[in-house]
Amino acid sequence: MLEARIREMHDVLGGADTVFALQARIKSQQARLEDLQAQARQVEETLEMQEFGFYRPHFDFDSSSRYQQMLDEVCDRQTAMVKAEAAVR
């Protein structure tokens, strides 16, 4: 029972066996937490924007006609690949 608790604490501490090692681990984990929180905020902002109907374009086309032109080109290339039996299944 005691050995299991010691192993559990060792896992929680991430193998840190000195105060300095523990402080370094805490600092590292705090930095990771801050990064994850920043990512979560970014995702939340994106979701809020989508809920309000705002759209951030994924592609950098000058106009919708240029976008349509690229879609047509991609479709033509795909058709050619299928006809040439070069398409991946």
Side-chain angles (χ1 to χ4, degrees):
M1 176 78 169
L2 181 60
E3 288 179 14
R5 182 72 176 139
I6 290 171
R7 266 185 265 129
E8 180 183 329
M9 292 304 295
H10 189 266
D11 291 342
V12 168
L13 297 175
D17 55 358
T18 66
V19 172
F20 296 114
L22 184 55
Q23 288 173 337
R25 179 157 172 76
I26 290 171
K27 191 173 186 175
S28 168
Q29 293 301 317
Q30 286 174 332
R32 177 148 169 72
L33 177 60
E34 289 172 7
D35 288 343
L36 291 172
Q37 287 173 333
Q39 289 176 17
R41 281 190 298 275
Q42 189 175 18
V43 168
E44 288 172 1
E45 289 174 9
T46 301
L47 288 174
E48 286 177 7
M49 294 290 282
Q50 289 175 354
E51 287 175 2
F52 283 107
F54 292 108
Y55 172 74
R56 182 181 306 152
H58 297 282
F59 306 102
D60 190 28
F61 292 105
D62 298 334
S63 65
S64 60
S65 60
R66 178 69 180 126
Y67 177 72
Q68 184 62 49
Q69 180 184 2
M70 286 302 293
L71 285 178
D72 293 341
E73 289 176 20
V74 168
C75 185
D76 291 343
R77 280 186 278 166
Q78 289 173 340
T79 302
M81 289 176 70
V82 170
K83 287 181 180 178
E85 297 183 6
V88 177
R89 294 179 189 230

Coordinates of all heavy atoms in Angstrom, one line a residue:
M1 N 0.8 -1.2 0.0 CA 0.0 0.0 0.0 C 0.9 1.3 0.0 O 0.6 2.2 -0.8 CB -0.9 -0.1 1.2 CG -1.8 1.2 1.4 SD -3.1 1.1 0.3 CE -4.1 2.4 0.9
L2 N 1.9 1.3 0.9 CA 2.8 2.5 0.9 C 3.6 2.6 -0.3 O 3.8 3.7 -0.8 CB 3.7 2.3 2.2 CG 4.6 3.5 2.4 CD1 3.9 4.8 2.5 CD2 5.5 3.2 3.6
E3 N 4.1 1.4 -0.8 CA 4.9 1.5 -2.1 C 4.0 2.0 -3.2 O 4.5 2.7 -4.1 CB 5.4 0.1 -2.4 CG 6.5 -0.3 -1.4 CD 7.0 -1.7 -1.8 OE1 6.7 -2.3 -2.8 OE2 7.7 -2.3 -0.9
A4 N 2.8 1.6 -3.3 CA 1.9 2.1 -4.4 C 1.7 3.6 -4.3 O 1.7 4.3 -5.3 CB 0.5 1.4 -4.3
R5 N 1.5 4.1 -3.0 CA 1.4 5.5 -2.8 C 2.7 6.3 -3.2 O 2.6 7.3 -3.8 CB 1.0 5.8 -1.4 CG 0.8 7.2 -1.0 CD -0.5 7.7 -1.6 NE -0.8 9.1 -1.2 CZ -1.2 10.0 -2.0 NH1 -1.6 9.7 -3.2 NH2 -1.4 11.2 -1.5
I6 N 3.8 5.7 -2.9 CA 5.1 6.3 -3.3 C 5.2 6.4 -4.8 O 5.6 7.4 -5.3 CB 6.3 5.6 -2.6 CG1 6.3 5.8 -1.1 CG2 7.6 6.0 -3.2 CD1 7.2 4.9 -0.3
R7 N 4.9 5.2 -5.5 CA 4.9 5.2 -6.9 C 4.0 6.3 -7.5 O 4.3 6.9 -8.5 CB 4.6 3.8 -7.4 CG 5.9 3.0 -7.7 CD 5.5 1.7 -8.3 NE 5.4 0.7 -7.2 CZ 4.4 -0.1 -6.9 NH1 3.4 -0.2 -7.8 NH2 4.4 -0.8 -5.9
E8 N 2.8 6.4 -6.9 CA 1.8 7.3 -7.4 C 2.4 8.8 -7.3 O 2.3 9.6 -8.2 CB 0.5 7.2 -6.6 CG -0.6 8.2 -7.0 CD -1.8 8.0 -6.2 OE1 -2.1 6.9 -5.7 OE2 -2.5 9.0 -6.0
M9 N 3.0 9.1 -6.2 CA 3.5 10.4 -5.9 C 4.7 10.7 -6.9 O 4.9 11.8 -7.4 CB 4.0 10.6 -4.5 CG 2.8 10.6 -3.5 SD 1.6 11.9 -3.8 CE 2.6 13.4 -3.6
H10 N 5.5 9.6 -7.1 CA 6.6 9.8 -8.0 C 6.1 10.1 -9.4 O 6.7 10.9 -10.1 CB 7.4 8.5 -8.0 CG 8.7 8.6 -8.8 ND1 8.9 8.2 -10.1 CD2 10.0 9.0 -8.4 CE1 10.1 8.4 -10.5 NE2 10.8 8.9 -9.5
D11 N 5.0 9.4 -9.8 CA 4.4 9.7 -11.2 C 3.9 11.1 -11.2 O 4.0 11.8 -12.2 CB 3.3 8.7 -11.5 CG 3.9 7.3 -11.7 OD1 5.1 7.2 -12.0 OD2 3.1 6.3 -11.6
V12 N 3.3 11.6 -10.2 CA 2.7 12.9 -10.1 C 3.8 13.9 -10.2 O 3.7 15.0 -10.9 CB 1.9 13.1 -8.8 CG1 1.6 14.6 -8.6 CG2 0.6 12.3 -8.8
L13 N 4.9 13.7 -9.6 CA 6.0 14.6 -9.6 C 6.9 14.5 -10.9 O 7.8 15.3 -11.1 CB 7.0 14.4 -8.4 CG 6.3 14.6 -7.0 CD1 7.2 14.3 -5.9 CD2 5.9 16.1 -6.9
G14 N 6.5 13.5 -11.7 CA 7.2 13.4 -13.0 C 8.7 12.9 -12.8 O 9.5 13.2 -13.6
G15 N 8.9 12.2 -11.8 CA 10.3 11.7 -11.6 C 11.2 12.7 -10.9 O 12.4 12.4 -10.8
A16 N 10.7 13.9 -10.6 CA 11.6 14.9 -10.0 C 12.0 14.4 -8.6 O 11.2 14.0 -7.8 CB 10.8 16.2 -9.9
D17 N 13.3 14.4 -8.3 CA 13.8 13.9 -7.0 C 14.5 15.0 -6.2 O 14.9 14.7 -5.1 CB 14.7 12.7 -7.2 CG 15.8 13.0 -8.1 OD1 15.9 14.1 -8.7 OD2 16.6 12.1 -8.3
T18 N 14.5 16.2 -6.7 CA 15.1 17.3 -6.0 C 14.2 18.5 -6.1 O 13.3 18.5 -6.9 CB 16.5 17.7 -6.5 OG1 16.3 18.3 -7.8 CG2 17.5 16.5 -6.5
V19 N 14.3 19.4 -5.2 CA 13.5 20.6 -5.2 C 13.7 21.4 -6.6 O 12.8 21.8 -7.2 CB 13.9 21.6 -4.0 CG1 13.2 22.9 -4.2 CG2 13.5 20.9 -2.7
F20 N 15.0 21.5 -7.0 CA 15.3 22.2 -8.3 C 14.6 21.5 -9.5 O 14.1 22.1 -10.3 CB 16.8 22.3 -8.5 CG 17.4 23.1 -7.4 CD1 18.4 22.6 -6.6 CD2 17.2 24.5 -7.3 CE1 19.0 23.3 -5.6 CE2 17.8 25.3 -6.4 CZ 18.7 24.7 -5.5
A21 N 14.7 20.1 -9.5 CA 14.0 19.4 -10.5 C 12.5 19.6 -10.5 O 11.9 19.7 -11.6 CB 14.4 17.9 -10.4
L22 N 12.0 19.6 -9.3 CA 10.5 19.8 -9.2 C 10.1 21.2 -9.6 O 9.1 21.4 -10.4 CB 10.1 19.6 -7.7 CG 8.6 19.7 -7.5 CD1 7.8 18.7 -8.3 CD2 8.3 19.4 -6.0
Q23 N 10.9 22.2 -9.3 CA 10.6 23.6 -9.7 C 10.7 23.7 -11.2 O 9.9 24.4 -11.8 CB 11.6 24.6 -9.0 CG 11.3 24.8 -7.5 CD 12.3 25.6 -6.8 OE1 13.5 25.7 -7.3 NE2 12.0 26.2 -5.7
A24 N 11.7 23.1 -11.8 CA 11.9 23.1 -13.3 C 10.7 22.4 -13.9 O 10.2 22.9 -14.9 CB 13.2 22.4 -13.7
R25 N 10.2 21.3 -13.4 CA 9.0 20.6 -13.9 C 7.8 21.5 -13.8 O 7.0 21.6 -14.7 CB 8.8 19.3 -13.2 CG 7.6 18.5 -13.7 CD 7.7 17.1 -13.5 NE 6.5 16.4 -13.8 CZ 6.1 16.1 -15.0 NH1 6.8 16.5 -16.0 NH2 5.0 15.4 -15.2
I26 N 7.6 22.1 -12.7 CA 6.5 23.0 -12.5 C 6.5 24.2 -13.5 O 5.5 24.5 -14.1 CB 6.4 23.6 -11.0 CG1 6.1 22.4 -10.1 CG2 5.5 24.7 -10.9 CD1 6.2 22.8 -8.6
K27 N 7.7 24.8 -13.7 CA 7.8 25.9 -14.6 C 7.5 25.4 -16.0 O 6.8 26.1 -16.8 CB 9.2 26.4 -14.5 CG 9.4 27.7 -15.3 CD 10.8 28.3 -15.0 CE 10.9 29.7 -15.7 NZ 12.1 30.3 -15.3
S28 N 8.0 24.2 -16.4 CA 7.7 23.7 -17.7 C 6.2 23.4 -17.9 O 5.6 23.7 -18.9 CB 8.5 22.4 -17.9 OG 8.1 21.7 -19.0
Q29 N 5.6 22.8 -16.9 CA 4.2 22.5 -17.0 C 3.3 23.8 -17.0 O 2.3 23.9 -17.7 CB 3.7 21.6 -15.8 CG 4.3 20.2 -15.9 CD 4.0 19.5 -17.2 OE1 2.8 19.5 -17.6 NE2 4.9 18.8 -17.8
Q30 N 3.7 24.8 -16.3 CA 3.0 26.1 -16.3 C 3.1 26.7 -17.7 O 2.1 27.3 -18.2 CB 3.6 27.1 -15.3 CG 3.2 26.7 -13.9 CD 3.8 27.6 -12.8 OE1 4.9 28.1 -13.0 NE2 3.2 27.8 -11.7
A31 N 4.3 26.6 -18.3 CA 4.4 27.2 -19.7 C 3.5 26.4 -20.7 O 2.8 27.0 -21.5 CB 5.9 27.1 -20.2
R32 N 3.5 25.1 -20.5 CA 2.6 24.3 -21.4 C 1.1 24.6 -21.1 O 0.4 24.7 -22.1 CB 2.8 22.8 -21.1 CG 1.9 21.9 -21.9 CD 2.6 20.5 -22.2 NE 1.6 19.6 -22.7 CZ 1.1 19.6 -23.9 NH1 1.4 20.6 -24.7 NH2 0.3 18.6 -24.3
L33 N 0.8 24.8 -19.9 CA -0.6 25.2 -19.5 C -1.0 26.5 -20.2 O -2.1 26.7 -20.8 CB -0.8 25.3 -18.0 CG -2.2 25.8 -17.5 CD1 -3.3 24.8 -18.0 CD2 -2.2 25.9 -16.0
E34 N -0.1 27.5 -20.1 CA -0.3 28.8 -20.8 C -0.5 28.7 -22.3 O -1.4 29.3 -22.9 CB 0.8 29.8 -20.4 CG 0.8 30.2 -19.0 CD 2.1 31.0 -18.6 OE1 2.9 31.4 -19.5 OE2 2.2 31.3 -17.4
D35 N 0.3 27.8 -22.9 CA 0.2 27.6 -24.3 C -1.2 27.0 -24.7 O -1.9 27.4 -25.6 CB 1.3 26.7 -24.9 CG 2.6 27.3 -24.9 OD1 2.7 28.6 -24.9 OD2 3.7 26.6 -25.0
L36 N -1.6 26.0 -23.9 CA -2.8 25.3 -24.1 C -4.0 26.3 -23.9 O -5.0 26.2 -24.6 CB -3.0 24.1 -23.3 CG -2.0 22.9 -23.6 CD1 -2.1 21.8 -22.6 CD2 -2.3 22.4 -25.0
Q37 N -3.9 27.1 -22.9 CA -5.0 28.1 -22.6 C -5.1 29.1 -23.8 O -6.2 29.5 -24.1 CB -4.7 28.8 -21.3 CG -5.0 27.9 -20.1 CD -4.6 28.6 -18.8 OE1 -3.7 29.4 -18.7 NE2 -5.2 28.2 -17.7
A38 N -3.9 29.5 -24.3 CA -4.0 30.4 -25.4 C -4.6 29.8 -26.6 O -5.4 30.4 -27.4 CB -2.5 30.9 -25.8
Q39 N -4.3 28.5 -26.9 CA -4.9 27.8 -28.0 C -6.4 27.7 -27.8 O -7.2 27.8 -28.7 CB -4.3 26.4 -28.1 CG -2.9 26.4 -28.7 CD -2.3 25.0 -28.7 OE1 -3.0 24.0 -28.6 NE2 -1.0 24.9 -28.8
A40 N -6.8 27.4 -26.5 CA -8.3 27.2 -26.2 C -9.0 28.6 -26.5 O -10.1 28.6 -27.0 CB -8.5 26.8 -24.8
R41 N -8.4 29.7 -26.0 CA -9.0 31.0 -26.3 C -9.1 31.3 -27.8 O -10.2 31.8 -28.2 CB -8.1 32.1 -25.6 CG -8.3 32.2 -24.1 CD -7.7 33.5 -23.6 NE -6.2 33.5 -23.8 CZ -5.4 33.0 -23.0 NH1 -5.8 32.3 -21.9 NH2 -4.1 33.1 -23.2
Q42 N -8.1 30.9 -28.5 CA -8.2 31.1 -30.0 C -9.4 30.3 -30.6 O -10.1 30.8 -31.5 CB -6.9 30.7 -30.6 CG -6.8 31.1 -32.1 CD -5.4 30.8 -32.6 OE1 -4.6 30.1 -32.1 NE2 -5.1 31.4 -33.8
V43 N -9.5 29.1 -30.2 CA -10.6 28.2 -30.7 C -11.9 28.8 -30.3 O -12.9 28.8 -31.1 CB -10.4 26.7 -30.2 CG1 -11.7 25.9 -30.4 CG2 -9.2 26.1 -30.8
E44 N -12.0 29.2 -29.0 CA -13.3 29.8 -28.5 C -13.6 31.1 -29.3 O -14.8 31.3 -29.7 CB -13.2 30.2 -27.1 CG -13.2 28.9 -26.2 CD -12.9 29.3 -24.7 OE1 -12.7 30.5 -24.4 OE2 -12.9 28.3 -23.9
E45 N -12.7 31.9 -29.6 CA -12.9 33.1 -30.4 C -13.4 32.7 -31.8 O -14.3 33.3 -32.4 CB -11.7 34.0 -30.5 CG -11.3 34.6 -29.2 CD -10.0 35.4 -29.3 OE1 -9.4 35.5 -30.4 OE2 -9.5 35.8 -28.3
T46 N -12.8 31.7 -32.4 CA -13.2 31.3 -33.8 C -14.6 30.8 -33.7 O -15.4 31.1 -34.6 CB -12.2 30.2 -34.3 OG1 -10.9 30.7 -34.3 CG2 -12.6 29.7 -35.6
L47 N -14.9 30.0 -32.7 CA -16.3 29.5 -32.6 C -17.3 30.6 -32.4 O -18.4 30.6 -33.0 CB -16.4 28.5 -31.4 CG -15.7 27.1 -31.7 CD1 -15.8 26.3 -30.4 CD2 -16.4 26.4 -32.8
E48 N -17.0 31.6 -31.6 CA -17.9 32.7 -31.4 C -18.1 33.5 -32.7 O -19.2 33.8 -33.0 CB -17.3 33.6 -30.3 CG -17.5 33.1 -28.9 CD -16.8 34.0 -27.9 OE1 -16.4 35.1 -28.2 OE2 -16.8 33.6 -26.7
M49 N -17.0 33.6 -33.5 CA -17.1 34.3 -34.8 C -18.1 33.6 -35.7 O -18.9 34.1 -36.4 CB -15.8 34.5 -35.4 CG -14.8 35.4 -34.6 SD -15.4 37.1 -34.7 CE -14.8 37.6 -36.3
Q50 N -17.9 32.2 -35.7 CA -18.8 31.4 -36.6 C -20.2 31.5 -36.1 O -21.1 31.5 -36.9 CB -18.2 30.0 -36.6 CG -17.0 29.8 -37.3 CD -16.4 28.4 -37.3 OE1 -16.9 27.6 -36.6 NE2 -15.3 28.2 -38.0
E51 N -20.4 31.5 -34.8 CA -21.8 31.5 -34.3 C -22.5 32.8 -34.7 O -23.7 32.8 -34.9 CB -21.8 31.4 -32.8 CG -21.5 30.0 -32.3 CD -21.4 29.9 -30.8 OE1 -21.6 31.0 -30.1 OE2 -21.1 28.8 -30.3
F52 N -21.8 33.9 -34.8 CA -22.3 35.2 -35.2 C -22.4 35.3 -36.7 O -22.9 36.3 -37.3 CB -21.5 36.4 -34.6 CG -21.8 36.6 -33.2 CD1 -20.9 36.2 -32.2 CD2 -23.0 37.1 -32.8 CE1 -21.2 36.4 -30.9 CE2 -23.3 37.4 -31.5 CZ -22.4 37.0 -30.5
G53 N -21.9 34.3 -37.5 CA -22.0 34.3 -38.9 C -20.9 35.0 -39.6 O -20.9 35.2 -40.8
F54 N -19.8 35.3 -38.9 CA -18.6 35.9 -39.5 C -17.8 34.7 -40.1 O -17.7 33.7 -39.5 CB -17.7 36.6 -38.5 CG -18.4 37.9 -38.0 CD1 -18.9 38.0 -36.8 CD2 -18.5 39.0 -38.9 CE1 -19.5 39.2 -36.3 CE2 -19.1 40.2 -38.4 CZ -19.6 40.2 -37.1
Y55 N -17.2 35.0 -41.2 CA -16.5 33.9 -41.9 C -15.1 34.5 -42.2 O -14.9 35.5 -42.8 CB -17.2 33.6 -43.3 CG -16.4 32.7 -44.2 CD1 -16.2 31.3 -43.8 CD2 -15.8 33.2 -45.3 CE1 -15.5 30.5 -44.6 CE2 -15.0 32.3 -46.1 CZ -14.9 31.0 -45.8 OH -14.2 30.2 -46.6
R56 N -14.1 33.7 -41.9 CA -12.7 34.0 -42.2 C -12.3 33.1 -43.4 O -12.3 31.9 -43.3 CB -11.8 33.8 -41.0 CG -10.4 34.2 -41.3 CD -9.4 33.9 -40.2 NE -9.9 34.5 -39.0 CZ -9.6 34.0 -37.8 NH1 -8.9 33.0 -37.6 NH2 -10.0 34.6 -36.7
P57 N -12.0 33.7 -44.5 CA -11.7 32.9 -45.7 C -10.4 32.0 -45.4 O -9.5 32.4 -44.8 CB -11.4 33.9 -46.8 CG -11.3 35.3 -46.1 CD -11.9 35.1 -44.8
H58 N -10.5 30.8 -46.0 CA -9.4 29.9 -45.9 C -8.4 30.0 -47.0 O -7.3 29.5 -46.9 CB -9.9 28.4 -45.8 CG -10.8 28.2 -44.6 ND1 -10.3 28.0 -43.4 CD2 -12.1 28.1 -44.5 CE1 -11.3 27.8 -42.6 NE2 -12.4 27.9 -43.2
F59 N -8.9 30.6 -48.1 CA -8.0 30.7 -49.3 C -7.9 32.2 -49.6 O -8.7 33.1 -49.3 CB -8.7 30.0 -50.5 CG -9.0 28.6 -50.2 CD1 -10.3 28.2 -49.9 CD2 -8.0 27.6 -50.1 CE1 -10.6 26.9 -49.6 CE2 -8.3 26.3 -49.9 CZ -9.6 25.9 -49.6
D60 N -6.8 32.5 -50.3 CA -6.4 33.9 -50.6 C -6.7 34.2 -52.1 O -5.7 34.4 -52.9 CB -5.0 34.2 -50.2 CG -4.6 35.6 -50.3 OD1 -5.6 36.5 -50.1 OD2 -3.5 36.0 -50.5
F61 N -7.9 34.2 -52.5 CA -8.3 34.5 -53.9 C -8.8 36.0 -54.0 O -9.4 36.5 -53.0 CB -9.4 33.6 -54.4 CG -8.9 32.2 -54.6 CD1 -9.3 31.2 -53.7 CD2 -8.0 31.8 -55.6 CE1 -8.8 29.9 -53.8 CE2 -7.6 30.5 -55.7 CZ -8.0 29.6 -54.8
D62 N -8.5 36.6 -55.1 CA -8.9 38.0 -55.3 C -10.4 38.1 -55.4 O -11.0 39.1 -55.0 CB -8.3 38.6 -56.5 CG -6.7 38.6 -56.4 OD1 -6.3 38.7 -55.2 OD2 -6.1 38.6 -57.4
S63 N -11.1 37.1 -56.0 CA -12.5 37.2 -56.2 C -13.1 35.8 -56.2 O -12.4 34.8 -56.3 CB -12.8 37.9 -57.6 OG -12.2 37.1 -58.6
S64 N -14.4 35.8 -56.2 CA -15.1 34.5 -56.2 C -14.9 33.8 -57.6 O -14.9 32.6 -57.7 CB -16.6 34.6 -55.9 OG -17.2 35.5 -56.8
S65 N -14.8 34.6 -58.6 CA -14.6 34.0 -60.0 C -13.2 33.3 -60.0 O -13.1 32.3 -60.7 CB -14.7 35.1 -61.0 OG -13.8 36.1 -60.9
R66 N -12.2 33.9 -59.4 CA -10.9 33.2 -59.4 C -10.9 31.9 -58.6 O -10.3 30.9 -58.9 CB -9.8 34.2 -58.7 CG -8.4 33.6 -58.6 CD -7.8 33.4 -60.0 NE -6.5 32.8 -59.8 CZ -6.0 31.7 -60.4 NH1 -6.8 31.1 -61.2 NH2 -4.8 31.3 -60.1
Y67 N -11.7 31.9 -57.5 CA -11.9 30.7 -56.7 C -12.6 29.7 -57.6 O -12.2 28.5 -57.6 CB -12.7 31.1 -55.5 CG -13.1 29.9 -54.6 CD1 -12.1 29.3 -53.8 CD2 -14.4 29.4 -54.5 CE1 -12.4 28.2 -53.0 CE2 -14.7 28.3 -53.7 CZ -13.7 27.7 -53.0 OH -14.0 26.6 -52.2
Q68 N -13.6 30.0 -58.3 CA -14.3 29.1 -59.1 C -13.4 28.6 -60.2 O -13.5 27.4 -60.5 CB -15.6 29.8 -59.8 CG -16.4 28.8 -60.6 CD -17.0 27.7 -59.8 OE1 -17.5 27.9 -58.7 NE2 -16.8 26.5 -60.2
Q69 N -12.6 29.4 -60.8 CA -11.6 29.0 -61.8 C -10.7 27.9 -61.2 O -10.4 26.9 -61.9 CB -10.8 30.2 -62.3 CG -9.8 29.9 -63.4 CD -9.0 31.1 -63.7 OE1 -9.1 32.2 -63.2 NE2 -8.1 30.9 -64.7
M70 N -10.2 28.1 -60.0 CA -9.3 27.1 -59.4 C -10.0 25.8 -59.1 O -9.5 24.7 -59.3 CB -8.7 27.7 -58.1 CG -7.6 28.7 -58.3 SD -6.2 28.1 -59.3 CE -5.5 26.9 -58.2
L71 N -11.3 25.9 -58.7 CA -12.1 24.7 -58.5 C -12.2 23.9 -59.8 O -12.1 22.7 -59.8 CB -13.5 25.0 -57.9 CG -13.5 25.5 -56.5 CD1 -15.0 25.8 -56.1 CD2 -13.0 24.4 -55.6
D72 N -12.5 24.6 -60.9 CA -12.6 24.0 -62.2 C -11.3 23.3 -62.6 O -11.4 22.2 -63.1 CB -13.1 25.0 -63.2 CG -14.5 25.5 -63.0 OD1 -15.3 24.9 -62.3 OD2 -14.8 26.6 -63.6
E73 N -10.2 24.0 -62.3 CA -8.9 23.4 -62.7 C -8.7 22.1 -61.9 O -8.2 21.1 -62.4 CB -7.8 24.4 -62.4 CG -7.8 25.5 -63.4 CD -6.7 26.6 -63.1 OE1 -5.7 26.3 -62.4 OE2 -6.8 27.7 -63.6
V74 N -9.0 22.2 -60.6 CA -8.8 21.0 -59.8 C -9.7 19.8 -60.2 O -9.2 18.7 -60.3 CB -9.1 21.3 -58.3 CG1 -9.1 20.1 -57.4 CG2 -8.0 22.2 -57.7
C75 N -10.9 20.2 -60.6 CA -11.8 19.2 -61.1 C -11.3 18.5 -62.4 O -11.4 17.3 -62.5 CB -13.2 19.8 -61.3 SG -14.5 18.6 -61.7
D76 N -10.8 19.4 -63.2 CA -10.3 18.9 -64.5 C -9.1 18.0 -64.3 O -8.9 16.9 -64.9 CB -9.8 20.0 -65.4 CG -11.0 20.8 -65.9 OD1 -12.2 20.3 -65.9 OD2 -10.8 22.0 -66.4
R77 N -8.2 18.3 -63.3 CA -7.0 17.5 -63.0 C -7.5 16.1 -62.4 O -6.9 15.1 -62.8 CB -6.1 18.2 -62.1 CG -5.2 19.2 -62.8 CD -4.2 19.8 -61.9 NE -4.8 20.8 -61.1 CZ -4.4 21.4 -60.0 NH1 -3.3 21.1 -59.5 NH2 -5.1 22.4 -59.5
Q78 N -8.5 16.2 -61.6 CA -9.0 15.0 -61.0 C -9.6 14.0 -62.1 O -9.4 12.8 -62.1 CB -10.0 15.3 -59.9 CG -9.4 15.9 -58.7 CD -10.5 16.3 -57.7 OE1 -11.7 16.5 -58.0 NE2 -10.1 16.5 -56.4
T79 N -10.3 14.6 -63.0 CA -10.9 13.9 -64.0 C -9.9 13.2 -64.9 O -10.0 12.0 -65.3 CB -11.8 14.8 -64.9 OG1 -12.9 15.4 -64.1 CG2 -12.5 14.0 -66.0
A80 N -8.8 14.0 -65.2 CA -7.7 13.5 -66.0 C -7.0 12.3 -65.3 O -6.7 11.3 -65.9 CB -6.7 14.6 -66.4
M81 N -6.8 12.4 -64.0 CA -6.2 11.4 -63.2 C -7.1 10.1 -63.2 O -6.5 9.0 -63.3 CB -5.9 11.8 -61.8 CG -4.8 12.9 -61.7 SD -4.6 13.5 -60.0 CE -3.9 12.1 -59.2
V82 N -8.4 10.3 -63.1 CA -9.2 9.1 -63.1 C -9.2 8.4 -64.5 O -9.1 7.2 -64.6 CB -10.7 9.5 -62.7 CG1 -11.7 8.3 -63.0 CG2 -10.8 9.9 -61.3
K83 N -9.2 9.2 -65.5 CA -9.2 8.6 -66.9 C -7.8 7.9 -67.1 O -7.8 6.9 -67.8 CB -9.4 9.7 -67.9 CG -10.8 10.2 -68.0 CD -11.0 11.3 -69.0 CE -12.5 11.7 -69.1 NZ -12.7 12.8 -70.1
A84 N -6.8 8.5 -66.6 CA -5.4 7.9 -66.8 C -5.2 6.8 -65.7 O -4.1 6.2 -65.7 CB -4.4 8.9 -66.6
E85 N -6.2 6.5 -65.0 CA -6.1 5.4 -63.9 C -4.9 5.7 -63.0 O -4.2 4.8 -62.5 CB -6.0 4.0 -64.5 CG -7.3 3.7 -65.3 CD -7.2 2.2 -65.8 OE1 -6.2 1.5 -65.5 OE2 -8.1 1.9 -66.5
A86 N -4.7 7.0 -62.7 CA -3.6 7.4 -61.8 C -4.2 7.9 -60.5 O -3.4 8.4 -59.6 CB -2.8 8.5 -62.5
A87 N -5.5 7.9 -60.3 CA -6.1 8.4 -59.1 C -5.9 7.3 -58.0 O -5.9 6.1 -58.2 CB -7.6 8.7 -59.3
V88 N -5.8 7.8 -56.8 CA -5.6 6.9 -55.6 C -7.0 6.4 -55.2 O -7.9 7.2 -55.1 CB -4.9 7.7 -54.5 CG1 -4.8 6.8 -53.3 CG2 -3.6 8.2 -54.9
R89 N -7.1 5.2 -54.9 CA -8.4 4.6 -54.4 C -8.5 4.7 -53.0 O -7.7 4.6 -52.2 CB -8.5 3.2 -54.9 CG -8.6 3.1 -56.4 CD -8.7 1.7 -56.8 NE -8.5 1.6 -58.2 CZ -9.3 1.0 -59.0 NH1 -10.3 0.4 -58.6 NH2 -9.1 1.0 -60.3

